[in-house]
Amino acid sequence: MEGRLTHDAIKIGKNVTILCINNSFKKIPAKSIWVSGNPLVSPTTLLMFQLSSISTVSLLINVCFKPLGQSSLVSQIFGGMIFGPSILGRSQDVADTVFPIRSRAIIDVFSGFGIMFFFFEVGVKIDPYLMVCPGRMAAVIGASALIITTGLSIGLAVFLKTSVTMSTSLQNSLILVASSQSLTAFPVISTLLDELKIINTDVGRIALSSSMFSFLIGFSTTSILFSIKQANSHHIYSFLPPFLSVVAFVATNFLILRPKLKKMFTQAMGPKCIDEKTIAFIFILVMVSAFISEVIGQHYIFGPLLLGLAVPDGPPLGAAISSKLASLGLAFFYPAYCAVTGLQTNVFDVDLETYYIIGIIIIFTFVVKLIAVILPALCFNLPIKEAVVLALILNARGIVELTFVNLWKDGKQIGNQSFTLVTVSVLVVTAIITPLVRMMYDPQKQCLSEKRSTIHHSNSSLEVRILVCIHNPENIPTMMNILEVTHASEMNPVAVTAMVLIELEGRSTPVLVRTDKYRGETPLLADQVLNSLIQYEARNEGCTTAQSYTSMSQFQTMHDDICRIAIDKRANILILPFHKKWAISGKIESTSSPIQNLNINVLNKAPCSVGILIDRGILTGFKSVRTSQLKFHVAVLFLSGSDDLEALAYSFRMGKHERVHLTIIRLLVSGDENSKDIKFDNNVIHEYRQANKENDRITYEERVLTDGLCLSSYMSSNLEHYNLILVGKTHQDSPLLQGLGEWNECPELGVMGDMLASPYLKTKASVLVIQQHELRGKLLSKNMRFLRSKSSSMYPELPTKIICQGVKTDSFYISVDGSRHSY
């Protein structure tokens, strides 16, 4: 055979081709182009070329389709169709060069391994408890979407078979096609919601839970049907051996393997405890489970999916497995399988009869599922628009439908034409649904507040509602100090809500629950926060209420959970930890870009005021206000603007605490004392001071500065003895800030906040940078007019300390008793 073709393909019918391969084919080395050889002769080289071509083309198509709001699934299937007989594959030369018949078996095996590990990863991320107990609403919607749609679509298929003349191949395919269109697959819905960034919204959570329950019913039914198919006689009990083997396989995974893994790998163990040998052993189990599935008569993805469900989701084991498979599975295996499916799609091979018959089933099933989801959703008082969006999402098609049609095609249960149309339906339906959902559903609307929710605008006699967010145990001491100095009393109660924010690892379903009512295994951090709140509530009995929530989500969408709780609890302010962590030496120990992006998202979308806490508690040993006998010094740097007014309002609240000594530092620009904004700020400041004139622990001083250099010099040398500094995020244009913004490393803190967050600042004080909640349009204008129309009468002069820097003027100090002294 030397020098001859290594294969011969003989076509003996429309759908039958005999492939003859040389035994030495697998040993043929690749020949480089420098010796006039063909590198694609080698099967290894050919496979690498095929995969790289598919991935590159799919990526380019995705870049082009993304501005149109399309899902990545569309580009992946379309990328395969480009090389298939529908487009480039119509040229025999291209088909024989890039995807010759002899390579089909190799790439099919590769994509089969890919889809096997993909479904294993899907199973790892699912909590089996949520599949079985999704909640009443999700269960009803999920069951309705599957049962009603399947029943009516199969009924239509049977009607068409008996009343319409069609080919035998099409007749045999109709019921399977109708079944594939009725599926509501959790992996498909989860991937779509993740791409749409709405997985943390109300609609997203309902869609996830409903699809999980529907997937459980469909998965169980499919397993039973496979068992019945294995019966070797028509006797009623002949299906029992295959069925019992499936039951035994399931019981082994959930009653033996899962408890063993949960005992071996607890949440207290970090992800580093999962070594490479453990991961390798799990991967071997995946292949063994796939083999067992085939032995007992199930599809080979049944075992890996079941094994994934048996593996405890989340850290440490689930997170470690997911981190190993996520990039490879989603970026390589998943697109390869979609593309291979597209390669087998030939739209020119479908006759008109097949088009309209299968088209009727596809459209009918789509409409029926819309109705089957919308009606029960409305019965549970879901708004009509959200019900329609939910129905569109649950109509999504994807990898699961492609897996089934590939299985049926390989088993000769459906013909090539039906296979092509089902694949195209997945492409078309997804292409329609994705931009429709983007257009109809805006997740930001659930974060909108109709009223201004701030401390400054709230009634001082009503309770202050605070939402604090915590990422790690180091955040707890300083956050508890903030809550302590907020001063809960019978006249001024405080309602505290804590949110433990945990990155979603090894799970696909986000969790947002009250910590004390969570039925699953709560993270250690959530228990620590809950205990701290219980002690805080006990110390301030009758003056405060406290609740704790746990949010396990991806950082990209975690802000949705935070804003949702802020609206539900009508928070006046929410406090977030800064993304930089200090070391005991005073230097920056670590930074987290995901937390920084989270903070920016919250600042942009929060329904209340927001504070970012720069925590330097480690520099003072995390001293507690409650146990320490020392004074707690709080300073407010006031320049101008609504954010500074919010910081001022919060500081006066803190000033009522018996251990807090509050200093209000007014930063003024020389020669700007008579501006309209300064007069407005004067009125507000005097009003606060008048209300607290009997509190001798509150000091007010003014610093007259000329430029940014004076401001920087003052902040570098005069803030050493404070424990906590409050400052607004943004300020009106001021000569004091000119040129400083160019050095701003953290724009979410503003200019002064960024300066206070510098590790070179000579202070051990923690800093709270505050942004006041803003209303847009008419509401904002009306509110500002109200504030400016308040009494402008002169308030009695209160103790003031004025220090001028950078200008030639007399400096003096007015003491509490009103006597004047030189400074």
Side-chain angles (χ1 to χ4, degrees):
M1 296 286 292
E2 186 71 17
R4 296 176 57 187
L5 289 175
T6 60
H7 71 283
D8 292 297
I10 306 170
K11 194 164 186 177
I12 61 174
K14 184 176 181 180
N15 297 319
V16 179
T17 302
I18 297 177
L19 179 65
C20 303
I21 301 179
N22 186 353
N23 286 333
S24 61
F25 170 58
K26 59 184 179 181
K27 302 177 182 179
I28 296 176
K31 295 182 179 180
S32 69
I33 59 175
W34 311 117
V35 292
S36 301
N38 182 8
L40 301 183
V41 170
S42 168
T44 304
T45 308
L46 181 59
L47 178 63
M48 291 188 291
F49 176 73
Q50 290 171 339
L51 294 175
S52 58
S53 300
I54 290 172
S55 300
T56 303
V57 171
S58 298
L59 183 62
L60 292 175
I61 295 174
N62 190 40
V63 171
C64 297
F65 282 4
K66 199 167 187 179
L68 303 177
Q70 290 299 332
S71 168
S72 59
L73 177 70
V74 174
S75 60
Q76 289 156 4
I77 297 177
F78 194 63
M81 291 180 65
I82 285 179
F83 291 104
S86 297
I87 304 179
L88 295 179
R90 292 188 64 78
S91 169
Q92 196 62 39
D93 293 337
V94 174
D96 290 341
T97 302
V98 183
F99 287 94
I101 296 177
R102 61 185 168 87
S103 68
R104 287 293 173 85
I106 299 175
I107 196 170
D108 283 348
V109 170
F110 179 85
S111 63
F113 266 91
I115 201 64
M116 179 177 68
F117 278 97
F118 174 79
F119 273 99
F120 168 68
E121 187 199 4
V122 167
V124 168
K125 291 181 176 182
I126 297 177
D127 184 354
Y129 176 81
L130 295 179
M131 291 188 74
V132 179
C133 303
R136 184 182 174 190
M137 181 179 181
V140 171
I141 293 175
S144 173
L146 179 67
I147 297 172
I148 295 178
T149 307
T150 303
L152 292 180
S153 60
I154 290 179
L156 176 63
V158 172
F159 172 77
L160 291 175
K161 284 177 65 175
T162 57
S163 59
V164 179
T165 304
M166 64 186 76
S167 64
T168 304
S169 175
L170 178 58
Q171 202 173 45
N172 296 334
S173 304
L174 279 187
I175 293 180
L176 293 177
V177 170
S179 301
S180 70
Q181 299 300 302
S182 306
L183 294 173
T184 305
F186 168 76
V188 176
I189 307 301
S190 175
T191 304
L192 177 63
L193 292 173
D194 196 38
E195 287 195 19
L196 294 173
K197 298 291 187 292
I198 60 173
I199 198 167
N200 279 38
T201 61
D202 293 336
V203 171
R205 293 179 189 279
I206 297 171
L208 270 180
S209 300
S210 301
S211 63
M212 288 175 70
F213 188 70
S214 181
F215 188 58
L216 175 64
I217 298 174
F219 186 64
S220 304
T221 305
T222 302
S223 301
I224 294 173
L225 292 177
F226 267 88
S227 299
I228 295 174
K229 185 181 175 182
Q230 299 302 311
N232 52 15
S233 70
H234 297 289
H235 197 277
I236 190 173
Y237 298 111
S238 61
F239 84 98
L240 282 179
F243 177 73
L244 292 177
S245 65
V246 172
V247 172
F249 188 39
V250 173
T252 301
N253 277 276
F254 284 97
L255 300 182
I256 299 177
L257 181 61
R258 183 176 174 86
K260 186 70 174 178
L261 291 175
K262 290 189 73 173
K263 186 176 180 180
M264 291 173 61
F265 305 100
T266 62
Q267 285 192 1
M269 302 169 65
K272 294 182 179 179
C273 69
I274 309 298
D275 56 15
E276 295 299 325
K277 292 181 179 179
T278 303
I279 299 296
F281 174 72
I282 295 294
F283 287 174
I284 292 173
L285 281 181
V286 173
M287 291 181 281
V288 170
S289 64
F291 171 74
I292 294 175
S293 298
E294 290 287 340
V295 170
I296 63 177
Q298 300 291 318
H299 191 268
Y300 64 84
I301 67 168
F302 174 81
L305 180 58
L306 196 64
L307 177 64
L309 290 170
V311 172
D313 60 319
L317 185 58
I321 292 173
S322 181
S323 64
K324 297 290 183 181
L325 286 176
S327 299
L328 189 64
L330 288 177
F332 199 58
F333 288 152
Y334 181 80
Y337 189 83
C338 295
V340 168
T341 303
L343 276 172
Q344 304 174 61
T345 303
N346 186 1
V347 296
F348 298 102
D349 194 33
V350 184
D351 55 45
L352 185 61
E353 177 190 59
T354 306
Y355 265 119
Y356 85 80
I357 292 177
I358 292 186
I360 289 173
I361 292 179
I362 292 172
I363 295 173
F364 176 80
T365 307
F366 184 87
V367 174
V368 168
K369 185 179 284 189
L370 281 177
I371 298 172
V373 172
I374 291 174
L375 290 181
L378 294 177
C379 292
F380 283 97
N381 299 319
L382 197 68
I384 180 64
K385 188 174 182 180
E386 294 187 4
V388 173
V389 171
L390 177 63
L392 288 173
I393 293 173
L394 294 182
N395 251 305
R397 276 94 160 124
I399 190 72
V400 175
E401 287 80 4
L402 296 181
T403 303
F404 274 102
V405 294
N406 274 288
L407 170 65
W408 293 330
K409 180 177 180 293
D410 294 340
K412 308 298 181 184
Q413 294 171 281
I414 64 173
N416 289 337
Q417 296 186 45
S418 300
F419 171 84
T420 295
L421 286 181
V422 172
T423 304
V424 171
S425 75
V426 172
L427 180 70
V428 173
V429 170
T430 305
I432 294 173
I433 284 176
T434 308
L436 266 180
V437 173
R438 292 185 193 274
M439 182 178 63
M440 293 180 63
Y441 188 68
D442 183 6
Q444 294 186 18
K445 288 186 177 180
Q446 70 175 13
C447 299
L448 296 179
S449 176
E450 297 180 357
K451 296 182 179 180
R452 200 164 202 177
S453 186
T454 70
I455 295 178
H456 176 57
H457 297 94
S458 63
N459 192 323
S460 59
S461 62
L462 299 178
E463 69 175 3
V464 172
R465 296 175 292 274
I466 302 175
L467 172 62
V468 296
C469 300
I470 295 172
H471 290 288
N472 51 62
E474 289 80 8
N475 300 148
I476 298 177
T478 304
M479 282 292 187
M480 295 309 299
N481 275 345
I482 295 287
L483 296 179
E484 287 285 352
V485 299
T486 302
H487 185 60
S489 65
E490 292 183 1
M491 295 295 295
N492 303 108
V494 176
V496 178
T497 304
M499 281 193 71
V500 179
L501 307 178
I502 300 174
E503 184 181 9
L504 191 69
E505 295 180 304
R507 293 184 176 97
S508 57
T509 307
V511 175
L512 176 61
V513 293
R514 273 190 56 171
T515 306
D516 56 344
K517 294 186 178 181
Y518 185 43
R519 298 179 182 177
E521 184 179 356
T522 56
L524 181 61
L525 175 60
D527 292 334
Q528 293 174 341
V529 172
L530 182 61
N531 291 333
S532 299
L533 288 180
I534 291 173
Q535 295 174 17
Y536 169 75
E537 192 173 13
R539 290 193 302 269
N540 299 275
E541 187 176 0
C543 306
T544 186
T545 58
Q547 290 181 337
S548 177
Y549 287 81
T550 300
S551 171
M552 288 181 276
S553 177
Q554 297 176 354
F555 279 121
Q556 296 92 328
T557 56
M558 193 176 284
H559 61 274
D560 290 328
D561 283 349
I562 298 173
C563 294
R564 178 182 178 182
I565 295 297
I567 284 184
D568 289 346
K569 301 302 176 182
R570 296 179 293 123
N572 298 113
I573 187 171
L574 68 87
I575 302 176
L576 299 161
F578 190 45
H579 70 278
K580 293 183 180 180
K581 182 180 177 182
W582 261 253
I584 196 169
S585 62
K587 298 181 179 179
I588 302 296
E589 180 181 291
S590 61
T591 61
S592 173
S593 296
I595 293 180
Q596 182 181 23
N597 293 331
L598 169 65
N599 292 347
I600 293 173
N601 287 334
V602 173
L603 285 168
N604 293 334
K605 301 173 183 179
C608 62
S609 296
V610 180
I612 296 182
L613 179 61
I614 302 164
D615 186 0
R616 292 193 178 99
I618 192 173
L619 304 183
T620 58
F622 293 115
K623 292 181 180 179
S624 172
V625 178
R626 181 177 56 87
T627 58
S628 175
Q629 299 300 317
L630 302 176
K631 299 175 182 178
F632 191 81
H633 293 277
V634 179
V636 182
L637 298 179
F638 187 95
L639 182 58
S640 64
S642 59
D643 292 351
D644 277 354
L645 289 176
E646 186 72 2
L648 184 70
Y650 197 9
S651 69
F652 272 102
R653 175 94 189 194
M654 294 178 176
K656 297 177 181 180
H657 196 282
E658 61 274 9
R659 290 185 183 172
V660 171
H661 286 247
L662 174 63
T663 303
I664 291 84
I665 303 172
R666 181 86 178 275
L667 303 175
L668 296 172
V669 181
S670 177
D672 197 30
E673 294 85 356
N674 296 319
S675 68
K676 189 175 182 180
D677 291 325
I678 293 296
K679 290 181 178 180
F680 172 70
D681 291 340
N682 286 340
N683 289 341
V684 177
I685 292 174
H686 279 296
E687 185 175 353
Y688 276 117
R689 294 177 63 200
Q690 183 68 18
N692 295 271
K693 62 182 179 180
E694 296 181 359
N695 189 344
D696 59 359
R697 297 187 310 276
I698 298 178
T699 305
Y700 176 80
E701 63 183 56
E702 293 181 351
R703 300 274 176 168
V704 182
L705 308 173
T706 56
D707 52 27
L709 183 61
C710 291
L711 175 63
S712 178
S713 175
Y714 168 73
M715 294 175 65
S716 300
S717 56
N718 293 274
L719 303 177
E720 295 183 13
H721 66 283
Y722 294 108
N723 301 103
L724 177 66
I725 301 172
L726 279 72
V727 67
K729 175 195 168 190
T730 57
H731 307 86
Q732 298 173 0
D733 292 338
S734 170
L736 300 183
L737 303 179
Q738 288 182 359
L740 297 178
E742 299 176 1
W743 305 93
N744 201 339
E745 294 182 3
C746 304
E748 71 273 17
L749 299 180
V751 176
M752 293 181 63
D754 186 73
M755 295 170 66
L756 292 169
S758 172
Y760 305 106
L761 190 70
K762 295 180 180 179
T763 183
K764 296 180 180 180
S766 296
V767 180
L768 186 61
V769 182
I770 297 179
Q771 172 186 277
Q772 189 181 72
H773 179 225
E774 293 183 354
L775 291 178
R776 298 183 178 91
K778 296 181 179 178
L779 288 175
L780 176 60
S781 301
K782 181 178 179 181
N783 189 277
M784 291 301 293
R785 286 197 301 270
F786 170 76
L787 286 175
R788 293 184 185 276
S789 66
K790 296 181 75 170
S791 175
S792 58
S793 60
M794 296 300 294
Y795 293 94
E797 290 296 327
L798 295 173
T800 305
K801 181 179 179 182
I802 302 177
I803 300 174
C804 300
Q805 288 184 238
V807 293
K808 294 182 178 179
T809 182
D810 294 333
S811 301
F812 56 88
Y813 174 69
I814 302 177
S815 64
V816 176
D817 59 4
S819 60
R820 176 171 171 164
H821 307 274
S822 61
Y823 187 80

